[in-house]
């Protein structure tokens, strides 16, 4: 028998060893033991006799998760009971299974109003009840409850009822069948297609858990630059294996449909969406899919964009194309997510093109089609004004496409918390039905009364042990799920709860780390593209600054197209005297932004070509504002670095060191951005960088000479 | 204060939680607590006061490792002291640092004889001494000692002295700069070039620890199909960062040199190895490298093979090419490893070509050149006779190149323990200096008195969490290191100690798992290429059977070239009546193998085209022997599967399930191999598969229709 003292030593050693294995794999579902003794005692009491009623794979997942959670968080070994007992301290189940056993603690109609995925968490008679209309609602409730424990909330009197504001809450994986990931910075694709369907990587299950924990209920497995091979029987068997893993967690599988698949794998001579043989081929293919995957979600389609085939190849419209898929999917309740990111034909302004293509088609799409629109008009820039399609399509459901993977946002090495960026778009006012018609209300269906609603995040997940490469990049995956469920949550709240679960509940840590996160997006905008600059990254891989880029055949692939710097000034005139792109917005928006004096500084160069001496709202000249902002960006990252270094005592050595190294890279790269951009723009402004700022230590020629042939994600 | 009982519960919970995180990342360095209480007590006593003398990064690594090891294995928290005390129970250090403090427990001359890397572990006065001539010898000794603990050896009276039989013990990474890995089946490359030099992945350190633990002292970071970019300043900085991580662990960094680099990155018009400008360019480049990496190991070169540039492009010899690098590296004590795997020009038999190319050059290489020869004459087949170059180059040091990655051996999903295959080659008798002139003695330098000796293993490591994809593939990495240190170790011994460290010391587990490992290579030979068949895998990706392959432009890229099946029989006549390849061996070997009656059955079709009715040593006809062997292979894998399933109670759930799923795939694929090959060969033999065997359940046409466009590693 071991002595008490040696037992204690043993425990401490085990704890320290366990803490050593902090490789980030567990994401925000770490369930480490709660150190606050009084809280621990209360929680243990409340979880002394837990019950989860019901009987399904989803309920089993809920039981496993609760067991896993309380074993870790509370270090108690309570068995999860299957049916009500008077001693129960915690009861979870569906309305049907619980009301058979116990008088409901809440109004039945209120519960019914929570729909297919909502749940309530209610305290009554000192017991906690988690009740939902469906098994998946119960699982969501369990995850919500575990979040309360992980963030050390008071659970003595809970009265929570919540249901998602958006129906389809999706990840889009730009993952190729050879396991490369387009714009992926976290290793290879997590889908090991070669070993599927027979080898189920544990990671698939943990992926499903993580998604369910934040309410993500769908995943598009394949790149929008699609490969028809995924639709062959050999690969559909693999897709079905993944769908089987995800199903208990409420996650539906979607695929990207290559428009020319009927030719490539169907042996047809055409993919014309109005051709009967083509339409029948898709109907048969869809039927084949649903036989394997009865809850298949549907297709995401990128057509006639960046070389992808599409209906326009046959002189048909995007609506013709989308409706072909819609007809095939409709009998099975599948949906079509048709991407609005198209710029096949040259407009006089790429900004305008999605609107020009799709506005005329408003009302022509079948009811199971949703148009998936990127947050901004161009392409996931550090900051974009909201896409003018939001507010312009009253007869078409619009899905929001955010990009979690940081293609233009520092890629795998910059700490950029994206929630403030998402919120900036979501809270923008389209004025579609007057003031208050925010983008959020467009996409949650409330403005135009749509029930088909969706938010998608282009995944930042890869095979890196910690999933997202940068330990803080996990927060963007987390935030996407949380905001898709409830877009009224604040960036602050999401950052805080993510930090508490992922790192530590210590307020001394959380307060500082939260500030680091909250200032990170603005810092990145400042050191990359302040005052409304955009798309001045390197060609192709988009890593690092290349405002001088002017060699690609399409004008709108070149950075100079976007900033239009010249001796007179800088910026893209999108007013009526320019490309008039602003006319795509409602009058209230366009009139505000059309005047360079009322246009917010942050969007100025998006809409105006202004002189280097233009006076900004700050009182500084434009040139001095650029110098100020670029330097402010660098300074903020240096401040973030310094703040992080002070957090060493709160963080495990592995992740502390990882973030420290990455912030070091970020400072270097922010400085590179600032220096390269200011030196380049200075060749037009002919103005000095004010002496109070750090001066570039290398020449413009040096920055122009840099090459990165193997930058990732390309 | 916690009660004893709750403390115990807490400990158990922590242990169970810790055991849950059994993701394979820790390899064979798990250091989990020893459960045998009496052994634990003895070990704790012996490690009560540990001392490691000396002061260097390597000694720090030794201290960290010992601390890490005893914290985990013994759950004791002993501080490692820096200098001798009379209370010391365990003392490690170099001869110099220890003899300053304590009377040596062993003969000084004996210690000096252990050389730069050897060490002794000796018990005297109930203290354990680990003494070496160098710091790295101390580190090796610590790893050896930790292996004794991990495998639960009696450490009361140790008298171990060991030094490596081979000087350069290397991994060859076929890793590309874009993080793909040629013939890699374990995810992306672990070298994250993009984030280097600023981001040091913890994995680099654990890679160095794992290698040092088995004595691997060098790593070639880049693919033999080389990219000159690695030699640019931008990339050499990254290489130097890795070298800095590896140095304390005694690991030197090597690079592959692209022969045409002087043209591609040097701006020269030629890469002629006799051109003075070219020679100077390499001298300057080497100097630049050594300035960054003072202990740089040297170059590995694949030249004039499979499209790679080389000296023959300039009508120079391989010796001219190798000697150019040798001259550049010589001032810095760097070496050239020149690969013998060439088949640029067509011989009448690819088997003969390396010999034809290099035998005439014997004696023409500078003293810092070593010729790196694959174990067999073709290309890492399931079984090959030893390369005829071994035994044929008395004036040239020869390095052994084994392939750990299972390109032709089931790739990422088959359990194949390669040590028996390595040993089969190493123990083959070349008869170079009469009977007993084994391949091992050729490569350890003892036959021809070379001090420049090397064994290389083509790495099976990738970014998968468990490093090598298949949990058992780690054993091949382990075995390469152990055999390179001491090629007299048995496959049985290596399997046992690897299992004990990686899984469990329970004899009930070890005995069965060891048997699974030991029969796995022969099983794979049987279900893929029995009786001396070779190279009948799919073109390109080499995944699965394609004995019918006959469409590639070069005859020796096609499976039919290798088996030569026809109505009369099957096999490649390499006797004097055929290509006479056997004449490349010494008379004692060739005469044995030239007679189909004395040639071992396992090599028969390597050397003879024999009739379908040829009588084998088993008494069976060749056709029946093929049927027997293919079925035996499948049956053995089924048996391995059944045996593994019985081990569930000894193995953590994660790895148990992983291996179980993989064995399921292996059974399916072994069956596929058997059916496809027998059905195909039957089209020539016109003989029935004996009724007592399982009959193929699909047609030959079915097997011929299979396509795997995204098979990995291609």
């Amino acid at each position: 028998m071991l002595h008490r003292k040696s037992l204690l030593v043993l425990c401490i050693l085990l704890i320290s060893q366990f803490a050593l294995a902090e490789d980030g794999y567990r994401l925000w579902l770490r369930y480490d033991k709660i150190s606050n003794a009084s809280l621990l005692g209360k929680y243990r009491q409340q979880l002394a006799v837990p019950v989860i009623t019901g009987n399904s794979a989803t309920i089993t997942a809920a039981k496993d998760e609760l067991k896993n959670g309380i074993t870790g968080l509370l270090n108690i070994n309570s068995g999860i009971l299957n049916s009500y007992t008077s001693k129960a301290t915690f009861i979870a189940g569906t309305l049907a299974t619980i009301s058979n056993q116990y008088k409901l603690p809440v109004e039945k109609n209120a519960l019914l109003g929570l729909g297919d995925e909502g749940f309530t968490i209610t305290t009554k008679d000192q017991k906690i009840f988690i009740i939902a209309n469906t098994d998946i609602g119960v699982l969501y409730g369990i995850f919500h409850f575990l979040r309360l424990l992980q963030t050390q909330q008071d659970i003595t009197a809970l009265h929570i009822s919540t249901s998602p504001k958006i129906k389809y809450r999706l990840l889009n994986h730009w993952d190729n069948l050879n396991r490369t990931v387009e714009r992926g910075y976290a290793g290879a694709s997590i889908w090991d297609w070669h070993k599927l369907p027979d080898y189920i990587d544990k990671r698939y299950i943990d992926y499903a858990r993580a998604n369910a924990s934040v309410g993500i209920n769908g995943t598009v497995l394949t790149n929008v630059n699609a490969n028809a091979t995924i639709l062959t029987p050999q690969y559909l068997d693999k897709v079905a294996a993944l769908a089987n893993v995800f199903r208990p967690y409420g996650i539906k599988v979607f695929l990207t449909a290559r428009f020319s698949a009927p030719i490539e794998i169907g042996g047809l001579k055409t993919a014309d969406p109005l051709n009967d043989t083509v339409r029948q081929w898709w109907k048969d293919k869809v039927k084949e899919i649903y036989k394997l995957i009865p809850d298949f979600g549907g297709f995401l389609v990128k057509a006639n964009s960046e070389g992808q085939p599409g209906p326009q190849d046959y002189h048909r419209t995007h609506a013709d194309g989308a409706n072909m898929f819609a007809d095939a999917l409709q009998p099975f309740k599948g949906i079509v997510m048709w991407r609005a990111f198209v710029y096949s034909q040259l407009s006089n302004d790429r900004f305008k093109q999605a609107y020009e293509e799709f506005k005329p088609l408003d009302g022509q799409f079948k009811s199971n089609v949703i148009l998936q629109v990127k947050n901004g008009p161009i392409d996931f820039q550090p900051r974009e004004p909201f896409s003018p399609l939001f507010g312009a399509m009253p007869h078409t459901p619009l899905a929001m496409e955010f990009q979690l993977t940081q293609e233009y946002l520092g890629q795998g090495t910059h700490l950029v918390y994206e929630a403030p960026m998402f919120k900036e778009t979501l809270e923008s006012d389209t004025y579609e039905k007057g003031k208050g018609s925010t983008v959020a209300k467009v996409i949650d269906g409330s403005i135009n009364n749509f029930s088909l609603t969706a938010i998608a995040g282009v995944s930042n997940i890869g095979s890196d042990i910690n999933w997202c490469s940068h330990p803080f990049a996990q927060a963007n995956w987390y935030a996407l799920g949380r905001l898709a469920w409830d877009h009224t949550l604040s960036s602050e709240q999401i950052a805080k709860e993510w930090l508490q679960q992922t790192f530590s509940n210590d307020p001394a840590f959380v307060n500082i780390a939260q500030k680091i996160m909250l200032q990170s997006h603005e810092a990145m905008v400042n050191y990359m593209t302040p005052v409304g600059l955009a798309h001045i990254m390197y060609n192709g891989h988009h890593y690092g600054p290349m405002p001088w880029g002017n060699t690609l055949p399409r004008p709108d692939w070149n950075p100079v197209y976007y900033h239009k710097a010249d001796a007179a000034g800088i910026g893209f005139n999108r007013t009526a005297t320019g490309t008039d792109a602003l006319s795509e917005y409602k009058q209230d928006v366009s009139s505000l932004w059309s005047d360079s004096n009322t246009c917010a500084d942050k969007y100025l160069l998006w809409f105006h070509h202004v002189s280097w001496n233009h006076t900004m709202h700050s009182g500084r000249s434009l040139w001095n504002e650029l110098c100020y902002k670029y330097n402010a960006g660098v300074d903020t990252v240096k401040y973030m670095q310094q703040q992080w270094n002070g957090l060493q005592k709160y963080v495990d050595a592995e992740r502390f060191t990882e973030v420290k190294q990455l912030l070091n890279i970020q400072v270097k790269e922010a400085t590179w951005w600032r220096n390269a951009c200011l030196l380049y723009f200075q060749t037009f402004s002919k103005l000095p960088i004010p002496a109070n700022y750090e001066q570039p230590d290398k020449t413009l020629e040096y920055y122009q000479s840099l090459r990165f042939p193997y930058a990732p994600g390309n």
Side-chain angles (χ1 to χ4, degrees), chain A:
Chain A
M1 193 69 189
L2 284 167
H3 289 289
R4 193 144 134 184
K5 201 179 152 192
S6 30
L7 255 173
L8 240 178
V9 168
L10 198 155
C11 282
I12 289 163
L13 285 169
L14 277 169
I15 290 165
S16 69
Q17 200 175 33
F18 193 52
L20 272 177
E22 202 61 86
D23 58 15
Y25 180 83
R26 293 181 296 162
L27 295 161
W28 49 87
L29 300 174
R30 288 162 67 247
Y31 303 146
D32 277 355
K33 197 193 152 208
I34 288 166
S35 52
N36 178 325
S38 88
L39 205 57
L40 184 63
K42 284 184 198 164
Y43 286 176
R44 282 178 173 170
Q45 209 172 356
Q46 189 70 64
L47 273 299
V49 185
V51 175
I52 301 185
T53 59
N55 186 11
S56 70
T58 299
I59 291 297
T60 301
K63 283 179 184 164
D64 289 349
E65 199 66 35
L66 185 66
K67 174 85 184 162
N68 192 4
I70 63 177
T71 303
L73 287 159
L74 312 184
N75 283 153
I76 55 172
N77 201 8
S78 314
I80 316 286
L81 305 177
N82 298 318
S83 59
Y84 181 72
T85 147
S86 60
K87 288 181 185 159
T89 56
F90 175 99
I91 304 104
T94 58
L95 185 55
T97 61
I98 286 196
S99 62
N100 283 340
Q101 303 184 342
Y102 192 87
K103 189 172 169 297
L104 284 177
V106 280
E107 271 287 322
K108 188 171 176 180
N109 281 342
L111 280 173
L112 289 172
L114 294 172
D116 282 350
E117 299 183 300
F119 57 85
T120 181
I121 306 181
T122 305
T123 310
K124 194 182 168 195
D125 304 339
Q126 293 180 299
K127 302 177 196 297
I128 287 178
F129 291 84
I130 299 183
I131 314 180
N133 295 304
T134 63
D135 289 347
I136 190 65
V138 175
L139 179 64
Y140 286 153
I142 292 292
F143 274 117
H144 190 107
F145 179 73
L146 286 169
R147 183 187 306 130
L148 299 179
L149 299 190
Q150 284 208 89
T151 57
Q152 306 194 359
Q153 305 298 302
D154 182 355
I155 59 166
T156 47
L158 297 173
H159 297 285
I160 296 163
S161 285
T162 179
S163 56
K165 293 197 177 355
I166 302 283
K167 186 169 181 186
Y168 292 93
R169 306 174 299 277
L170 304 152
L171 290 183
N172 287 184
H173 289 267
W174 288 359
D175 291 19
N176 299 313
L177 301 187
N178 65 1
R179 294 193 73 180
T180 58
V181 180
E182 185 164 334
R183 309 309 175 185
Y185 311 102
S189 169
I190 57 171
W191 315 130
D192 190 348
W193 292 111
H194 183 68
K195 288 200 204 124
L196 283 166
D198 291 307
Y199 186 82
I200 301 300
D201 192 325
K202 178 174 175 292
R203 203 186 263 267
Y204 304 150
I205 301 163
D206 291 321
Y207 168 87
R209 289 176 55 235
N211 279 328
S213 78
V214 291
I216 290 170
N217 66 357
T219 178
V220 185
L221 299 173
T222 45
N223 192 354
V224 288
N225 293 322
N227 185 326
T229 305
I230 196 68
L231 301 174
T232 60
Q234 182 186 18
Y235 274 80
L236 289 174
D237 272 346
K238 299 168 190 277
V239 174
L242 287 176
N244 291 341
V245 173
F246 300 159
R247 188 169 297 114
Y249 293 90
I251 297 165
K252 285 185 179 177
V253 156
F254 297 73
L255 294 174
T256 49
R258 183 157 168 93
F259 203 82
S260 50
I263 300 171
E264 290 155 9
I265 62 167
L268 304 189
K269 295 226 166 88
T270 176
D272 181 347
L274 300 190
N275 175 293
D276 284 344
T277 315
V278 170
R279 297 174 70 82
Q280 191 58 46
W281 187 88
W282 281 111
K283 281 180 181 166
D284 293 342
K285 180 53 70 182
V286 165
K287 201 170 164 188
E288 179 190 348
I289 295 172
Y290 277 91
K291 203 169 169 189
L292 291 165
I293 310 163
D295 57 350
F296 180 68
F299 292 130
L300 171 63
V301 187
K302 174 178 179 177
N304 292 121
S305 173
E306 299 185 315
Q308 293 297 303
Q312 295 177 340
D313 302 346
Y314 305 94
H315 309 291
R316 312 299 184 189
T317 69
H318 282 286
D320 293 330
N323 291 340
M324 171 185 68
F325 291 107
D327 285 341
L329 288 159
Q330 189 275 330
F332 307 96
K333 298 187 178 158
I335 65 166
V336 182
M337 296 168 290
W338 195 266
R339 287 179 94 233
F341 178 69
V342 298
Y343 61 98
S344 273
Q345 294 152 19
L346 269 178
S347 169
N348 72 336
D349 184 356
R350 180 164 146 191
F351 186 113
K352 294 160 65 177
Q353 199 164 353
Y355 181 99
E356 286 173 350
E357 288 272 7
F358 287 98
K359 172 72 181 165
L361 301 176
D362 190 28
Q364 296 186 25
F365 294 97
K366 301 265 176 168
S367 63
N368 58 335
V369 176
I370 186 165
L371 194 64
Q372 184 164 312
V373 184
K374 291 187 183 184
N375 59 296
I378 301 294
D379 191 15
F380 300 134
Q381 293 306 298
R383 166 167 281 137
E384 297 200 31
F386 68 91
S387 165
L389 277 171
F390 297 117
M393 302 284 282
H395 307 295
T396 309
L398 299 181
M400 171 62 74
E401 180 175 310
F402 288 127
Q403 193 186 46
L404 309 180
T405 190
Q406 295 170 230
E407 177 179 355
Y408 299 95
L409 276 67
Q411 304 194 347
T413 53
H414 292 211
L415 193 167
V416 178
Y417 174 52
E418 295 170 338
M421 181 179 75
F422 301 158
K423 292 284 289 183
E424 184 171 306
T425 302
L426 290 168
E427 291 174 355
S428 294
D429 199 338
T430 69
Y431 287 86
E432 177 169 3
K433 299 257 167 95
K435 190 168 168 59
S437 304
T438 59
V439 171
K441 289 183 181 170
V442 173
I443 63 159
D444 74 11
S446 57
I447 294 250
N448 293 307
N449 202 23
F450 288 120
S451 61
L452 174 51
T453 58
I455 287 187
V458 178
S459 157
N460 59 354
I461 297 166
S463 62
D464 277 3
I465 294 178
N466 74 358
W467 300 82
C468 301
S469 184
H470 199 306
F472 276 78
Q474 297 177 357
N476 296 327
W477 175 10
Y478 184 88
L480 186 279
R482 295 289 283 141
L483 285 172
W485 184 281
D486 182 359
H487 53 68
T488 70
L489 289 172
S490 69
S491 300
E492 290 77 3
Q493 160 70 14
I494 295 170
K496 184 175 178 183
E497 65 184 42
W498 177 79
L499 284 165
Q500 289 174 317
Q501 295 170 90
T502 307
F503 285 100
S504 162
N505 274 281
D506 192 322
F509 169 81
V510 173
N511 291 341
I512 291 177
Q514 187 193 29
K515 279 188 197 122
I516 290 175
M517 289 174 75
L518 290 170
Q519 61 198 337
S520 62
H521 173 254
E522 199 65 36
M524 183 269 302
V525 171
N526 284 341
Y527 63 71
M528 284 190 186
T529 55
V531 201
L533 286 169
H535 217 305
I536 54 176
M537 293 73 184
Y538 257 84
N539 295 332
H541 55 62
H542 298 155
Y543 169 71
M546 194 177 73
W548 49 83
N550 194 18
T551 54
L552 295 183
R554 266 184 82 121
D556 58 350
W557 285 348
N558 286 313
V560 299
Y561 172 91
Y562 291 96
H563 63 68
K564 301 200 187 302
D566 55 25
I570 184 171
F572 199 129
N573 183 358
R574 292 188 166 105
T575 69
T577 66
T579 64
D580 202 25
L582 276 162
S583 68
E584 293 183 349
Y585 291 103
K586 294 285 179 211
Q587 177 67 28
D588 296 87
V589 179
S590 62
S591 64
L592 185 74
W593 289 348
S594 287
D595 181 341
S596 65
N597 292 310
T598 59
C599 181
D601 285 357
K602 64 183 178 182
Y603 298 139
L604 184 66
L605 304 185
W606 272 103
F607 300 117
H608 300 277
H609 189 270
V610 292
S611 86
W612 297 106
N613 294 317
H614 171 85
T615 303
M616 305 293 292
H617 291 109
S618 65
R620 283 182 282 268
S621 71
L622 171 61
W623 170 250
N624 283 349
E625 184 79 1
L626 276 178
C627 294
Y628 169 75
K629 288 285 188 185
Y630 271 113
N631 277 281
V634 173
D635 291 345
T636 306
V637 181
K638 285 180 180 169
Y639 183 74
M640 286 159 56
Q641 181 183 43
Q642 179 206 316
Q643 292 288 297
W644 179 258
N645 290 344
L647 295 177
Q648 180 157 16
K649 62 175 169 289
Y650 306 104
V651 186
D652 51 283
E654 279 84 348
R655 290 185 299 172
F656 175 77
T657 306
E658 283 169 22
V659 174
K660 184 183 156 114
Q661 293 186 106
L662 291 165
L663 282 167
N664 184 37
I665 292 176
Q666 192 170 357
V667 168
K668 283 190 182 182
E669 294 191 352
T671 307
W672 165 34
W673 265 95
R674 178 196 68 187
N675 292 355
C677 291
L678 287 180
L679 286 171
Y680 170 72
F681 292 131
Q682 195 177 36
T683 65
F684 300 99
S685 79
K686 313 282 185 197
L687 293 165
I689 296 168
N692 55 322
Y693 298 129
E694 200 175 63
Q695 301 293 311
D697 58 349
K698 299 220 166 58
T699 64
L700 177 58
E701 291 65 36
Y702 166 80
Y703 295 114
Q704 290 178 327
S705 76
L706 298 176
R707 294 292 179 276
F708 306 93
Y710 304 103
N714 195 12

